[in-house]
Amino acid sequence: MLTTGLPTRPVPRPREDPGLTARLARSAAESHGAQLRTEDFGRWLAARGRAHHFAVDRIPFAGLDGWSFQEDTGDLAHRSGRFFTVEGLSAATDEGPYPRWQQPVIVQPEVGILGILAKEFDGVLHFLMQAKMEPGNPNLLQLSPTVQATRSNYTKVHNGQDVKYLDYFVRPGRGRIVADTLQSEHGSWFYRKSNRNMLVEALDEVPLEDDFCWLTLGQINALLHRDLVVNMDARTVLSCVPDHDPGTSALHTDAELRSWFTGERSRRALRTERVPLASVPGWRRGEMSIDHEDGRYFKVVAVSVRADSREVSSWTQPLFEPVGAGITAFVARRFGGVLHVLAHARVEGGFLDTVELGPTVQCTPGNWDRLPPEHRPPFLDLVQDAGGRVRYEAVHSEEGGRFLNAESRTLVVETDRAPLDPPPGYRWATPAQLRSLVRHGHYVNVQARTLLACLAAMGEDGR
């Protein structure tokens, strides 16, 4: 165990209802569910896949039904004026090898709901999870929250079926609120997009619908170690689960961490402007895709979808497809015996407030391989070379409703090679400190929230 001999300071934190924290701890410790055993989950998920017909086919843009490129701007939009649009974004910042850039971006101003319903069985909290098909998932079917719906979905702009269990998240008093916060989505591909992340405990009997199952936190944590099982929307909601044991010691107090973060927001500059998609330089529109002239970054493509388990059984839509797999990693180190992770104050063009705390490394390596070492993301080589103990590793996909085959190798690497005094823009924090910031919207980005869920799955996350 690495220790530094440096003094650490106790960090007071607001306490949750002690009854709730004890029940969450019991759920996290319980690896056997009351209704579905963990060892049977794979067979259950495969059976749900066989129960439905799923198909996703690439199509030319001309094959999109209801979608078209606008004559005046070239923006890709739906005839209803709802769902989302693909527009251009021009951005400028004050640091990095690419201080100015232009790109396509998803504009979806409506706030969606990502909600997980909880209920006790045999004295143990279980969480209602859904086997949900998303057209961009590499394996189509993954474990999602109880409710995962945009406002267009649950107001039935598409004239589809009702969203199951929605009332628990939109009707006050239907359940007990455990967590409720607005969180950002991918700042590199969405423009100022937020979702409402909710955990609600049911107070009444809950009928179990097809494609849903009750799992303990311990079971979900076990599934987080498997590749391509727990989807991004479930991971971000799980990051909002209150600490089971919030007391710990940290290298920096909460006040110091927040002050540093406020300073990062104050000193960093970001200027963005939505521009016509047709005017974005370096991007070329063909019959099947919009691509960057260098063949890097991502593509905009179109797909035709059939899924008889969804509120609408068939549709067409655009998707963003990254070029190459990503790496998302926390570098970790112990101070005074307490696990800390190195958070990065990141600027992304789509963030609402310029900067959010992200992982130590968050990139697609292929986008940086032509640059000199001094311009490559800090700590990328350390993570790729596994210059330490790999504490966690799995492949997770990003949001399958907007991104096609978007996968990241997700890592926690513990090492003594990481500096005590990191470069500007980086700061050591305990997972518990980051969890306390997740209680506030737009502090911790979606990739770091995934890693917080993974740290909980490790069983030792500094709580």
Side-chain angles (χ1 to χ4, degrees), residues 89 101 105 185-193 270 272 348-353:
L89 179 71
W101 73 95
V105 70
E185 287 218 33
H186 295 73
S188 296
W189 293 332
F190 278 106
Y191 183 74
R192 300 183 177 181
K193 175 72 170 69
L270 175 66
T272 60
E348 297 184 16
F351 282 159
L352 182 65
D353 204 357

Side-chain angles (χ1 to χ4, degrees), residues 14-35:
R15 294 190 60 82
E16 300 290 339
D17 172 7
L20 173 63
T21 57
R23 291 191 298 143
L24 288 168
R26 182 173 180 182
S27 182
E30 183 55 68
S31 59
H32 299 287
Q35 300 190 0

